[in-house]
Amino acid sequence: MTVRTGTKIAFLHNFPVCWLTKRWQILRSNADFKTVHSFSHSLDRMAKHGIDVLAPDSDGRGFVHDIIFNELSLGIVRDESRAVLLALIEKAKGEGADSVIFGCTEICLILETDKVPLPGFDSTAIHVEAGIDFALES
C-alpha cells in the first residue's frame, strides 16, 4: 500500500503538475535539479510522456545531490554552489536544453528562475499555485 492509496488526502505530484505548466527539456535533474534518487525515477516517467531529458553526468548529479542535502536542507546557501549549478545549466544549454526545472523544493533557495541562463520553472511555486487552484475548485 502506498500513502496515496491509503488515504483520502489529495496529492499533487511534481511531474504532472509541472507537465501541465509547460512541456520542457530538462537538465537534470531537470535541467531538472533533484536528488540522485529522484533523477532515475523522473527520467523514466518523463521519457514515457515524450519529454526529452538532458541530465548532468554522474558527477553533476552528485554535486546537485550534495548541494541539496549537505547545504540547502541545512539552511546553508553558498555562492560557490550557486556557481556550480549555473555551470550545469550552461552546459545543458549547450547540449540543447531549452528550459530548466527546479525539481526539488530546496533549489529555489539558491537559484531564481529569472536569473538562470534558460527559462526556469520553480516546482515549489508551481505546486503552491496548483494547490490553491485545487482548493478553490473543491
Side-chain angles (χ1 to χ4, degrees):
M1 174 188 294
T2 65
V3 172
R4 181 176 288 203
T5 60
T7 183
K8 294 181 182 186
I9 297 173
F11 283 85
L12 297 173
H13 190 278
N14 192 24
F15 175 74
V17 167
C18 292
W19 169 258
L20 292 172
T21 303
K22 181 188 184 296
R23 192 170 176 187
W24 14 236
Q25 288 184 330
I26 290 166
L27 156 72
R28 175 92 354 22
S29 168
N30 299 342
D32 200 349
F33 286 108
K34 310 180 176 216
T35 63
V36 171
H37 170 73
S38 296
F39 271 110
S40 26
H41 175 72
S42 294
L43 291 173
D44 292 340
R45 193 163 189 190
M46 288 186 238
K48 288 179 186 175
H49 290 275
I51 299 174
D52 295 324
V53 178
L54 299 176
D57 59 19
S58 62
D59 286 342
R61 289 191 304 272
F63 289 137
V64 172
H65 182 91
D66 289 344
I67 290 167
I68 290 169
F69 281 107
N70 299 328
E71 296 174 25
L72 301 176
S73 294
L74 303 174
I76 300 167
V77 178
R78 299 176 53 235
D79 289 335
E80 298 84 1
S81 297
R82 181 178 295 108
V84 167
L85 296 174
L86 290 171
L88 288 171
I89 295 170
E90 282 290 351
K91 184 176 180 187
K93 182 179 179 180
E95 294 173 356
D98 64 4
S99 60
V100 61
I101 232 185
F102 300 174
C104 278
T105 56
E106 296 84 0
I107 296 296
C108 64
L109 299 173
I110 194 167
L111 295 177
E112 298 176 50
T113 57
D114 61 343
K115 294 184 180 172
V116 293
L118 289 169
F121 297 91
D122 177 355
S123 64
T124 302
I126 292 167
H127 269 83
V128 168
E129 290 174 23
I132 291 169
D133 289 345
F134 177 82
L136 293 176
E137 291 172 7
S138 296

